[in-house]
Amino acid sequence: LSDVPRPRGVSLSKASLYSPSKDFTCFDGTNTIPFSYVNDDYCDCFDGSDEPGTSACLNSVFHCTNAGHRPQNIPSSRVNDGICDCCDGTDEYAAPNTCSNTCDELGREARAQAQQLAELHKAGNSLRLELIEKGNIKRSEMGEQLSQLEKDKIEALKIKEEKEALKSDIEAKENEALKVYREAEEKEKERKAELEKEELLKEATEQFNKYDSDNDGLLSVNEIRVVNVFDKNKDGEVDQEEIQYFFGDSENVDKDTFVSSVWSLLKPLLMMEEGMFRPEQDDQEEHDEELPHEEEQHEQDQEGEEETEDNEQHDLNIDDQINDQAKTYDDETKRLMDEASEARRLYNDAERAVREIESNIRTIQQNLEKDYGLNQEYATMDGECLEHEDKEYVYRLCLFDRVTQKSRNGGGEVGLGNWGEWGGDGDNKYSIMKYTNGVTCWNGPARMTTVHITCGLETKLTSVTEPYRCEYKIDLTSPAACDDSHFIQQQQKKESHDEL
Amino acid sequence: VDRNNFKTCDQSGFCKRLRPLKPEKSQYTLNLDSVFVHGNVLSAEVITVNNNGEKKNVEWHYALRLSALVDGTFRVEIDEAEPLYPRYRSMVALDGEPKGDILKLISNENGKLTLKNSQGHKVIITAEPLKFEFLDKNGEPAVVLNDNAQLFVEPLKVRNGDGEETDIEGSLAENFKSHHDSKPRGNEAVSIDVAFPDADQAYGIPEHTDGFHLKTTTSGEPYRLYNLDVFEYELDSRMAIYGSIPVMYAHGPKRSVGVFWHNSAETWIDVVNYGEGNVVSSLVNLVTGGQKRRVDARFMSESGVVDIFVLMGDAPSDVYRQYSTLTGVTPLPPKFSLAYHQSRWNYVDEADVRSVDEGFDSHDIPLDVIWLDIEYTDNRKYFTWHPIKFAHPAEMVGNLTAKGRKMVVIIDPHIKREAGYFFHEDCTEQGLYIKNKDGNDYEGWCWPGSSSYPDFHNPAAFKYFAERYRFENFPGTNKDVHIWNDMNEPSVFNGPEITMPKDNRHYKPSQDGQDGLASFWEHRHIHNEYGVWHIMATHQGMLDRSNGQYRPFILSRAVYSGTQRYAAVWTGDNMAEWGFLLASISMCLSLASAGVSFCGSDVGGFFKYPEAELMTRWYQAAAFQPFMRAHSHIETKRREPWLYDATTTSRLRDAVRRRYALLDLWYTLFYEHTLDRVPVMRPLLTHYPKEEQTYTIDDTYLLGDKLLIRPVVEPGVSSVKVYLPGRDSHTVWYDVDSFQRHEANGYFTQEVTISKIPVYQRGGSIIPRKERVRRSSALMEDDPYTLVVTLDINNTATGTLYIDDGETYDFKSNKFIYAKITYEQTAMKYIITNSGNYPTRSWLERIVIAGIKSPPKSAKLIQDGKSTALQMTIHRGNDVLVVRKPAALMAKAWEIQFSY
């Protein structure tokens, strides 16, 4: 067949378009030239069809038969450029000794390889069928689980309502009983405040009398000049600034003014002198520093809302207990309080049960929505984690979940992406997984990973690379990708393409 | 940019000191009794005089030398008559000692000396106050020195440390941010002013970003020349960046002239253009007597001597030639280096290099060179390979060279201080590093962390560095691995202004009786030329490694006078923004006029990511700039041409293919540059010096005198304004895409699409093309030529073609072809002008003749005495005649005869 006479670089299928007995018309019809102009190393056709065997046209194609291997079409710009592109060496005819014919050898290797691949697919295919079966079972199990959970949820909600009613009932009674105690407590507080006020007045008056050396009921500037306590900056004298601090613009103060305003300024100094008190100012500063910290803490707490609720309830109970210890209740109140706290506990348990069920439902629903491949062949792998180590890092791929990287020299994990979607082209949608929105690179995009899956008897990672900055590529083999019939189809497609 | 990292004039002691000095009259006087003219040199004593009271006291003695040099050039040198110790003179700028002309003293009267060179240029020296007027051949003043009395040479003084000198600001020491400069020699600045009568514009003194022609600096900062690594440098700025070439040209309809301020220290330059609207008119009247055409400049340097060359022109190509005669030309580069380069910080490993290499093939885009940035090394130790990522360098290089491709790897001057690293240990043991002010090895911070820097002034360090390039010392390299010398300002991350402390010490050959300050140079003296030393050592090493057989290719970031003799340069770490695309044109034009023709910018921009349109326009522009390399920052998105959408990829492919089609034009232009010394990339005024509109155009330029390029540098446009020069000479220009003919008439509007940038071939020229697309330029060697002939109004055209092996020095032994091609109505001739030959297998594929009104009826080729009839096709729409496949061999002369 390959002996059919045709111009150099023309494939068998196009041979009939070149007839030596008549003028040649360019395939695009724009020009007709003597047949001697075909392959004369000068481009006459816009579409390059007159020079299939030379490099004269920018856009023409050179066909090599490559007997013994696959035929090949190369851009004709590669004809006679000194590099062997065709295994039969026909592209370098200008210097006949440049290339040797390696087609037989290459063909043998390629066929052996194809054979191997076919066998691999065949062997892998039976594993794949098992995976499919297991996947389908898993899915239907999840369906069953889901409907059971829905039922459980209804039941749990019922219990929760019941417990809530019981709880509010007993809490109302408890409240009523505790009212008496709270009022008493309030009164006690008022009494204490009154006592404190009296104490203060007494103390202030004592001091006033002490400094009022002429006992005229007025404390004058001269009287305090000699008192150490008023020497605020401890420089040995009570200067104008210090007087101003205590007295304002007045020359003297009476007892009432002293008690109401001066004493509050003086007392801390007095106490400090007695070593009982740190300056209030310092305390304030420390407090200021702590403030933002506390806010932060608070924000963090808000993130885990459910937890916070629990915590608060917990705190309340502790408060109650402390109060309990300090006070004595009558037996009836005690009983009510015990009952109320038991009711609260039961209610909390019921509520927790509902939440757990709801969370399980959500997980199963999400999993059911996930695309586990054409035939659920990847379903059993959800959550399975695989590792790969190179010289610097340990990579970990948890299928349908996330990809991470950890330096072998220590340090934390870096997220390289979370499960996004299948991303292969066309027919091969399920050959590539995309994990997106990993940790953001400095000055750059969020890290992402593509997982390229090929047929293999084991599910394992074969390589991890970072071809583009912050874009990772993982090669994964798995029997799930060993679709025998798909493979054969693709091979046939390739071969028919080669023949063109 | 963080401007706080860099000095203003006020923060630079000598600039702050000198800039306000504007004496009414110069204190410098020529001692007429001391004048002595011998050969091409006038020598005389100059003194400064203190006019306090009635008695004149001589303050200081200086030695003046004025020399006449060949090709209309003068040199004025003023040094101290007896300096305490020698003052530094730049060692690498000049391409050998300049050759002398004759200098004749023709009169000495009324306190004025008149001298004359062989070409009829005169110099009038006024003795008091000292002034130098250089007159053109018509006797009109073209350049005047010290007209504004700003000549200063601060004398070196003994420092006794008793605080006596502290009255002069900053003389004992200076501080900038946290950096201290001990200034052991005290003040030693020099300055001079230059006036250019009749000049409309001044240009030159690269490297700056504020456009091609210089702006008046009175109300702002002067132009600064101090090689610096400026992170994210800004546009429209007179700040110093990576390069410093102290040559300035002035141009007007009357003439072109220039001055070359031969000094390697930090330099500031003030410019006043009296023609600019914003210069105060009273000042204009005062200085120029109402004459609006004049530019004044003033050079101030921190140290050295006054050493200024005056280039008398008088055409633009004359001043370029005069400057290049002094400092050398770009030697003929290896051909691959004019092709397309693909770089990135960083191609991460050998597999990545392989996939980029294959990517170009599978997308059918030609490529000659893949570059490796710093990460190829073992932890940034130069002359090593990363043991994992680049474990098989020889194999990797072999994969590239099998397709005619090359590799460029980076070698920076900072050396990692790490025990066990041979380079560091050798330099430490042999004392090859630059020393700090206390005489110990200087340590700075750069890419490898703690680093030291070889002191190339030390011949042992120079030799050691050069020898590292030997193939046996740098395993994995071969003749096809070329070198990128980056960070050679030098960049020091923790140094003052991100460079080296000025009081660091460099080697000085020991001489009898010289010790202390006289026994070393300070970094301040040599700073701007450090990068040249670096590339000189690389160049020497690359020559030696192949026993002088192959031409080295080197890329340098630091630039100074003389750089062009060893390396190509690029405009450093630019940004993926439209403004930087525009700036790439004016920056390279400015560098080219200052002798550095081999220039380009990071295609696409180094920082940030260029969207498709910007990337397309950048490729299209760069295809017509001398050095075409795509490069990008490590933190940016990958952007090899096929990573854009398919349409954009095809436009990038088209731009690269255009480059390859014209490679032989580029190669011929670079060859001719070594002959005529005119820049390859030229401002329009080069060939249209009387057209005043061209003086300020810096988005349009010429390649040789044949192509006019106006890259599209603005987004979203459907037309651009293009200036076509040559109205008076009835020049016509042909659109290279359509062969549409335009008569030169200043500005016109050119429609563009995203696929088109305006490029025109001048009528009267012939351009060689190779239209077959190959994977690399080496694979095109035997490919046939297409000659594109565009006719002038006389229906004639001429062109040239240079052919050799593209990589060796064999052309020096006449193994090349330099052909002249002429077209007249009756015949087209290909004449080999040189006596040698080169056995090229290339042949003549096609001739395209544009602008042919009455086509010939028949044509025949005559070569080797044989005559062959040729086929022709006429395209009536645009008057283009195509001669089909003459198949003449380009190794020999031929002629095509036309009959009508």
Side-chain angles (χ1 to χ4, degrees):
Chain A
L1 268 173
S2 53
D3 286 343
V4 173
R6 50 191 149 128
R8 195 195 299 272
V10 174
S11 66
L12 195 56
S13 56
K14 286 188 183 150
S16 62
L17 299 170
Y18 296 85
S19 165
S21 56
K22 53 183 183 195
D23 285 351
F24 176 76
T25 300
C26 306
F27 293 175
D28 64 8
T30 51
N31 199 5
T32 295
I33 53 176
F35 191 79
S36 61
Y37 282 12
V38 170
N39 276 347
D40 73 337
D41 212 5
Y42 186 88
C43 192
D44 294 286
C45 296
F46 287 118
D47 64 1
S49 54
D50 63 318
E51 296 293 322
T54 76
S55 56
C57 294
L58 265 180
N59 48 355
S60 69
V61 169
F62 181 87
H63 179 89
C64 26
T65 319
N66 290 347
H69 192 29
R70 275 193 298 274
Q72 203 181 346
N73 290 322
I74 60 170
S76 65
S77 63
R78 292 177 193 182
V79 171
N80 289 333
D81 65 353
I83 300 174
C84 309
D85 292 284
C86 297
C87 65
D88 63 7
T90 51
D91 58 318
E92 295 301 318
Y93 58 85
N97 296 324
T98 310
C99 308
S100 50
N101 188 327
T102 56
C103 290
D104 281 345
E105 199 184 319
L106 290 174
R108 235 185 343 265
E109 277 170 29
R111 280 186 296 276
Q113 226 170 38
Q115 177 72 23
Q116 235 175 8
L117 258 183
E119 277 163 18
L120 178 67
H121 274 81
K122 207 168 161 192
N125 197 44
S126 56
L127 293 173
R128 176 176 150 269
L129 294 175
E130 281 171 33
L131 284 172
I132 290 172
E133 201 184 326
K134 283 183 193 155
N136 283 326
I137 292 170
K138 189 178 172 189
R139 261 188 93 93
S140 60
E141 277 172 1
M142 282 195 291
E144 283 161 24
Q145 272 171 19
L146 187 62
S147 54
Q148 184 57 46
L149 283 169
E150 297 286 4
K151 280 181 209 152
D152 293 353
K153 185 180 165 187
I154 292 164
E155 197 58 32
L157 280 170
K158 252 187 229 161
I159 294 170
K160 183 182 153 194
E161 272 166 39
E162 223 168 79
K163 299 295 177 195
E164 191 166 16
L166 283 173
K167 176 174 134 284
S168 34
D169 209 32
I170 189 80
E171 275 180 341
K173 285 180 193 158
E174 181 197 36
N175 238 354
E176 193 60 33
L178 283 174
K179 206 171 161 189
V180 186
Y181 289 89
R182 284 205 194 99
E183 279 163 5
E185 206 178 317
E186 208 53 37
K187 270 188 193 143
E188 179 64 17
K189 249 188 216 165
E190 275 166 31
R191 199 181 60 84
K192 270 188 189 162
E194 196 58 34
L195 272 176
E196 261 173 46
K197 212 171 152 190
E198 275 169 33
E199 186 69 21
L200 192 80
L201 184 66
K202 200 178 138 209
E203 212 177 358
T205 313
E206 263 170 34
Q207 292 293 329
F208 181 83
N209 292 340
K210 196 167 133 193
Y211 305 133
D212 182 16
S213 43
D214 61 2
N215 289 321
D216 65 348
L218 286 174
L219 205 55
S220 69
V221 168
N222 285 337
E223 280 164 336
I224 68 162
R225 272 195 201 280
V226 294
V227 182
N228 270 342
V229 181
F230 289 92
D231 181 11
K232 206 168 141 246
N233 59 6
K234 302 293 167 225
D235 63 350
E237 61 168 349
V238 179
D239 59 26
Q240 199 53 46
E241 205 180 304
E242 281 152 351
I243 291 166
Q244 174 90 23
Y245 176 73
F246 293 106
F247 279 23
D249 290 333
S250 319
E251 278 292 299
N252 47 40
V253 293
D254 59 17
K255 199 177 182 181
D256 287 349
T257 317
F258 182 84
V259 171
S260 64
S261 59
V262 180
W263 177 237
S264 63
L265 299 171
L266 191 60
K267 191 181 177 190
L269 295 174
L270 204 64
M271 292 173 81
M272 197 161 59
E273 219 162 57
E274 289 161 4
M276 293 165 67
F277 193 71
R278 289 187 302 143
E280 201 182 348
Q281 212 183 345
D282 283 5
D283 212 39
Q284 186 65 40
E285 270 172 24
E286 264 178 42
H287 192 64
D288 278 351
E289 275 170 28
E290 275 171 21
L291 256 179
H293 205 70
E294 278 176 358
E295 273 169 28
E296 237 170 65
Q297 197 69 42
H298 190 63
E299 276 168 29
Q300 278 177 4
D301 282 348
Q302 275 182 339
E303 281 171 23
E305 254 175 72
E306 287 181 25
E307 260 177 62
T308 320
E309 263 174 53
D310 282 352
N311 280 347
E312 275 169 12
Q313 277 175 359
H314 195 59
D315 288 348
L316 271 178
N317 291 341
I318 287 176
D319 279 351
D320 286 351
Q321 276 161 19
I322 290 168
N323 286 343
D324 287 351
Q325 282 165 359
K327 290 171 204 158
T328 46
Y329 298 100
D330 62 59
D331 288 348
E332 176 60 13
T333 312
K334 267 189 198 159
R335 189 188 61 81
L336 281 172
M337 283 166 69
D338 287 348
E339 271 179 30
S341 91
E342 176 64 7
R344 275 191 290 270
R345 194 184 60 79
L346 290 174
Y347 169 73
N348 287 343
D349 287 350
E351 204 194 18
R352 192 172 300 122
V354 172
R355 277 207 303 270
E356 267 168 25
I357 293 168
E358 278 171 346
S359 142
N360 285 340
I361 289 175
R362 267 198 305 276
T363 310
I364 293 181
Q365 274 171 341
Q366 274 167 10
N367 285 346
L368 279 171
E369 276 163 24
K370 273 189 195 162
D371 183 349
Y372 289 124
L374 217 49
N375 301 302
Q376 311 301 328
E377 57 268 43
Y378 291 96
T380 55
M381 297 181 205
D382 190 347
E384 189 179 331
C385 294
L386 305 159
E387 286 196 350
H388 180 81
E389 275 187 47
D390 65 16
K391 298 219 159 90
E392 286 173 84
Y393 298 103
V394 179
Y395 296 91
R396 189 175 162 87
L397 164 65
C398 294
L399 289 154
F400 299 98
D401 182 13
R402 60 200 299 257
V403 186
T404 56
Q405 176 197 52
K406 202 172 156 144
S407 171
R408 295 178 57 167
N409 305 324
E413 273 192 348
V414 177
L416 305 186
N418 300 315
W419 167 245
E421 57 180 354
W422 292 98
D425 291 334
D427 273 4
N428 298 313
K429 177 179 170 189
Y430 295 105
S431 63
I432 293 174
M433 286 176 152
K434 285 187 175 169
Y435 292 79
T436 52
N437 277 321
V439 175
T440 303
C441 278
W442 182 79
N443 232 347
R447 288 175 174 79
M448 62 163 291
T449 304
T450 52
V451 179
H452 296 249
I453 313 175
T454 52
C455 169
L457 298 182
E458 244 182 283
T459 300
K460 63 175 183 191
L461 307 187
T462 56
S463 90
V464 183
T465 52
E466 187 185 355
Y468 301 129
R469 190 147 182 94
C470 303
E471 291 183 20
Y472 297 81
K473 177 175 175 274
I474 293 181
D475 289 323
L476 171 76
T477 61
S478 171
C482 301
D483 185 338
D484 204 10
S485 54
H486 184 69
F487 175 73
I488 291 166
Q489 237 173 47
Q490 298 248 317
Q491 290 305 105
Q492 284 168 345
K493 220 171 168 183
K494 213 166 161 189
E495 270 161 37
S496 66
H497 185 76
D498 281 341
E499 271 162 26
L500 280 178
Chain B
V1 69
D2 182 355
R3 291 202 205 181
N4 292 321
N5 282 334
F6 306 101
K7 290 181 185 175
T8 60
C9 173
D10 260 2
Q11 290 167 320
S12 186
F14 76 96
C15 192
K16 185 179 186 186
R17 220 162 50 236
L18 295 189
R19 199 182 189 204
L21 292 182
K22 282 167 188 160
E24 272 185 29
K25 132 177 159 52
S26 181
Q27 307 290 295
Y28 290 74
T29 301
L30 179 78
N31 176 359
L32 283 165
D33 296 336
S34 67
V35 171
F36 177 66
V37 181
H38 177 72
N40 67 322
V41 180
L42 170 149
S43 35
E45 184 191 51
V46 166
I47 49 174
T48 43
V49 177
N50 184 345
N51 278 320
N52 261 356
E54 288 180 16
K55 203 180 162 205
K56 288 185 176 178
N57 294 318
V58 174
E59 272 190 341
W60 217 267
H61 297 265
Y62 299 92
L64 163 74
R65 273 170 65 92
L66 183 144
S67 345
L69 304 173
V70 291
D71 200 11
T73 303
F74 292 97
R75 181 180 195 177
V76 176
E77 295 160 274
I78 302 171
D79 193 355
E80 290 182 67
E82 285 170 16
L84 268 184
Y85 21 79
R87 301 174 69 117
Y88 191 73
R89 289 165 181 259
S90 177
M91 291 169 72
V92 298
L94 297 179
D95 187 21
E97 196 54 37
K99 289 196 181 66
D101 189 12
I102 52 161
L103 183 66
K104 268 208 313 223
L105 180 62
I106 50 177
S107 81
N108 179 353
E109 50 193 22
N110 305 326
K112 287 187 180 196
L113 302 171
T114 305
L115 303 111
K116 200 173 170 181
N117 71 1
S118 72
Q119 302 197 8
H121 299 117
K122 283 181 191 158
V123 190
I124 300 175
I125 308 176
T126 308
E128 186 182 1
L130 181 63
K131 183 163 99 170
F132 303 84
E133 288 171 276
F134 295 85
L135 312 186
D136 68 11
K137 287 174 187 167
N138 301 321
E140 292 185 42
V143 178
V144 189
L145 302 182
N146 204 29
D147 200 25
N148 294 330
Q150 285 166 330
L151 166 66
F152 293 102
V153 179
E154 293 182 328
L156 297 166
K157 290 178 178 166
V158 179
R159 298 191 56 182
N160 46 23
D162 62 3
E164 192 194 312
E165 304 138 300
T166 47
D167 54 328
I168 305 168
E169 186 173 347
S171 62
L172 286 182
E174 282 181 35
N175 292 300
F176 176 65
K177 297 182 80 173
S178 63
H179 302 282
H180 181 74
D181 175 3
S182 62
K183 293 188 68 179
R185 285 167 167 83
N187 291 336
E188 48 178 326
V190 292
S191 145
I192 202 164
D193 64 272
V194 187
F196 300 108
D198 306 316
D200 269 300
Q201 295 295 343
Y203 58 101
I205 56 168
E207 184 176 23
H208 297 103
T209 62
D210 77 333
F212 181 69
H213 66 277
L214 303 175
K215 320 294 184 290
T216 295
T217 58
T218 11
S219 60
E221 288 285 295
Y223 286 90
R224 188 183 189 205
L225 294 178
Y226 193 56
N227 289 357
L228 291 174
D229 179 4
V230 180
F231 180 74
E232 295 186 343
Y233 69 79
E234 61 183 15
L235 294 176
D236 304 313
S237 167
R238 304 196 281 260
M239 282 172 73
I241 50 174
Y242 317 101
S244 303
I245 305 183
V247 64
M248 185 189 288
Y249 304 103
H251 181 77
K254 271 196 178 166
R255 69 181 84 86
S256 261
V257 288
V259 290
F260 169 42
W261 174 250
H262 184 211
N263 193 305
S264 49
E266 179 186 347
T267 299
W268 294 82
I269 302 155
D270 266 316
V271 175
V272 183
N273 184 340
Y274 295 96
E276 255 181 46
N278 53 2
V279 174
V280 189
S281 59
S282 60
L283 189 63
V284 175
N285 289 331
L286 184 72
V287 177
T288 68
Q291 164 64 266
K292 283 257 178 179
R293 284 194 160 134
R294 167 161 161 155
V295 176
D296 282 1
R298 193 247 184 121
F299 291 82
M300 298 168 270
S301 289
E302 189 178 17
S303 62
V305 297
V306 168
D307 185 1
I308 189 166
F309 292 84
V310 178
L311 318 171
M312 296 300 293
D314 60 4
S317 53
D318 295 327
V319 286
Y320 303 145
R321 186 190 62 244
Q322 286 156 356
Y323 174 72
S324 294
T325 299
L326 295 172
T327 61
V329 290
T330 299
L332 183 65
K335 200 170 183 180
F336 81 85
S337 63
L338 294 169
Y340 176 70
H341 303 253
Q342 183 66 43
S343 181
R344 172 164 178 88
W345 176 25
N346 218 90
Y347 288 122
V348 297
D349 54 19
E350 287 167 357
D352 195 7
V353 170
R354 181 151 212 160
S355 84
V356 171
D357 172 50
E358 283 167 0
F360 276 89
D361 291 344
S362 58
H363 295 89
D364 220 3
I365 304 170
L367 167 71
D368 265 53
V369 198
I370 291 185
W371 289 53
L372 294 179
D373 208 323
I374 52 176
E375 318 296 351
Y376 80 87
T377 57
D378 178 8
N379 269 304
R380 298 167 180 186
K381 296 193 285 274
Y382 300 107
F383 301 104
T384 71
W385 297 89
H386 191 285
I388 300 162
K389 294 173 176 169
F390 293 90
H392 319 91
E395 196 183 319
M396 168 180 66
V397 171
N399 286 335
L400 290 173
T401 55
K403 289 182 214 162
R405 290 182 178 144
K406 322 283 177 188
M407 174 152 263
V408 171
V409 299
I410 200 165
I411 298 283
D412 290 347
H414 47 254
I415 302 302
K416 187 180 176 81
R417 297 184 59 87
E418 184 180 279
Y421 175 29
F422 63 91
F423 201 118
H424 172 59
E425 294 196 335
D426 291 347
C427 285
T428 308
E429 277 164 29
Q430 298 167 37
L432 307 182
Y433 283 140
I434 296 174
K435 307 288 189 289
N436 65 17
K437 68 176 169 50
D438 304 316
N440 303 316
D441 285 352
Y442 170 72
E443 281 185 56
W445 199 262
C446 206
W447 291 128
S450 178
S451 306
S452 286
Y453 297 73
D455 181 6
F456 300 106
H457 274 68
N458 180 348
F462 189 98
K463 179 163 178 274
Y464 179 80
F465 189 81
E467 282 175 353
R468 292 318 101 204
Y469 289 103
R470 301 191 75 90
F471 301 134
E472 67 267 26
N473 289 338
F474 194 2
T477 62
N478 63 27
K479 73 172 180 65
D480 292 317
V481 177
H482 295 259
I483 300 299
W484 176 13
N485 284 160
D486 195 2
M487 310 292 282
N488 49 356
E489 293 77 23
S491 176
V492 182
F493 295 159
N494 62 342
E497 302 193 86
I498 327 297
T499 190
M500 196 163 271
K502 284 177 170 170
D503 51 7
N504 270 6
R505 297 179 180 188
H506 288 263
Y507 174 91
K508 187 179 170 188
S510 61
Q511 279 167 10
D512 286 348
Q514 292 193 342
D515 55 4
L517 289 177
S519 65
F520 58 86
W521 295 117
E522 285 174 58
H523 186 68
R524 89 182 70 249
H525 302 129
I526 70 107
H527 175 83
N528 283 345
E529 65 177 35
Y530 183 76
V532 181
W533 285 92
H534 183 214
I535 56 175
M536 263 171 25
T538 299
H539 195 266
Q540 190 62 50
M542 290 177 75
L543 280 181
D544 291 348
R545 70 179 190 176
S546 74
N547 298 317
Q549 198 185 349
Y550 293 98
R551 294 173 234 166
F553 170 73
I554 304 168
L555 180 71
S556 174
R557 192 171 70 184
V559 196
Y560 176 64
S561 300
T563 293
Q564 72 271 17
R565 301 196 302 271
Y566 309 102
V569 305
W570 92 109
T571 62
D573 300 345
N574 60 355
M575 230 176 271
E577 288 174 1
W578 288 92
F580 280 87
L581 170 55
L582 174 60
S584 74
I585 307 167
S586 57
M587 289 172 82
C588 281
L589 264 183
S590 181
L591 282 161
S593 71
V596 186
S597 265
F598 206 171
C599 172
S601 68
D602 279 349
V603 176
F606 181 64
F607 297 112
K608 300 191 176 178
Y609 179 77
E611 296 303 330
E613 187 188 3
L614 177 57
M615 192 63 158
T616 305
R617 292 309 193 189
W618 213 313
Y619 266 75
Q620 291 167 342
F624 291 93
Q625 291 178 3
F627 175 56
M628 183 183 190
R629 180 187 72 150
H631 185 55
S632 49
H633 189 275
I634 192 165
E635 299 291 347
T636 59
K637 203 168 142 187
R638 288 284 285 251
R639 52 169 101 144
E640 284 69 44
W642 51 90
L643 297 177
Y644 286 83
D645 61 279
T647 326
T648 301
T649 301
S650 83
R651 286 175 189 139
L652 304 184
R653 175 190 298 121
D654 188 52
V656 177
R657 285 181 172 185
R658 274 171 166 244
R659 172 62 168 218
Y660 278 77
L662 286 175
L663 269 186
D664 283 78
L665 172 67
W666 281 106
Y667 199 48
T668 302
L669 288 173
F670 268 89
Y671 173 71
E672 289 173 342
H673 173 69
T674 67
L675 306 178
D676 63 20
R677 307 175 174 216
V678 182
V680 169
M681 179 182 181
R682 299 173 191 174
L684 298 186
L685 63 82
T686 312
H687 294 287
Y688 307 92
K690 301 216 184 292
E691 282 183 57
E692 291 174 28
Q693 275 176 292
T694 65
Y695 299 173
T696 53
I697 291 177
D698 61 7
D699 60 359
T700 309
Y701 59 94
L702 302 168
L703 287 184
D705 61 356
K706 297 186 174 65
L707 288 182
L708 181 143
I709 328 287
R710 194 317 196 170
V712 179
V713 293
E714 45 280 269
V717 293
S718 55
S719 69
V720 294
K721 290 250 182 204
V722 181
Y723 186 92
L724 293 181
R727 185 191 309 142
D728 295 344
S729 50
H730 307 288
T731 305
V732 288
W733 295 93
Y734 294 82
D735 186 317
V736 298
D737 299 317
S738 62
F739 293 109
Q740 192 190 344
R741 189 173 184 270
H742 300 273
E743 282 169 21
N745 192 19
Y747 279 105
F748 86 106
T749 300
Q750 171 71 58
E751 315 251 296
V752 294
T753 63
I754 183 67
S755 316
K756 181 184 178 66
I757 65 162
V759 178
Y760 308 88
Q761 184 177 338
R762 181 178 52 78
S765 65
I766 300 174
I767 281 179
R769 293 172 59 89
K770 279 191 174 178
E771 301 198 322
R772 301 189 180 193
V773 175
R774 305 290 197 180
R775 279 166 281 195
S776 67
S777 67
L779 306 185
M780 297 166 69
E781 195 185 351
D782 296 339
D783 278 347
Y785 288 93
T786 291
L787 295 175
V788 179
V789 182
T790 51
L791 301 182
D792 62 13
I793 51 164
N794 303 315
N795 293 316
T796 64
T798 62
T800 48
L801 176 62
Y802 176 83
I803 305 174
D804 69 8
D805 64 24
E807 58 177 3
T808 73
Y809 284 103
D810 287 358
F811 68 91
K812 291 196 167 171
S813 39
N814 234 338
K815 289 198 175 118
F816 68 96
I817 290 169
Y818 183 49
K820 184 170 187 194
I821 311 162
T822 59
Y823 174 90
E824 282 167 9
Q825 268 189 306
T826 53
M828 181 161 174
K829 289 177 187 166
Y830 175 83
I831 303 145
I832 294 172
T833 62
N834 59 312
S835 58
N837 67 80
Y838 178 73
T840 176
R841 292 158 77 177
S842 294
W843 47 281
L844 182 60
E845 182 171 34
R846 141 183 345 99
I847 299 167
V848 177
I849 305 164
I852 197 155
K853 290 272 156 54
S854 42
K857 286 202 175 66
S858 67
K860 61 178 178 188
L861 168 78
I862 295 161
Q863 187 171 39
D864 279 342
K866 273 185 267 174
S867 170
T868 320
L870 301 175
Q871 300 288 320
M872 295 181 290
T873 320
I874 181 82
H875 298 263
R876 282 288 172 203
N878 51 6
D879 297 328
V880 171
L881 180 79
V882 176
V883 182
R884 187 187 191 279
K885 204 184 173 191
L889 301 176
M890 299 303 269
K892 294 174 185 171
W894 48 259
E895 179 175 347
I896 291 170
Q897 293 173 352
F898 299 102
S899 0
Y900 293 81

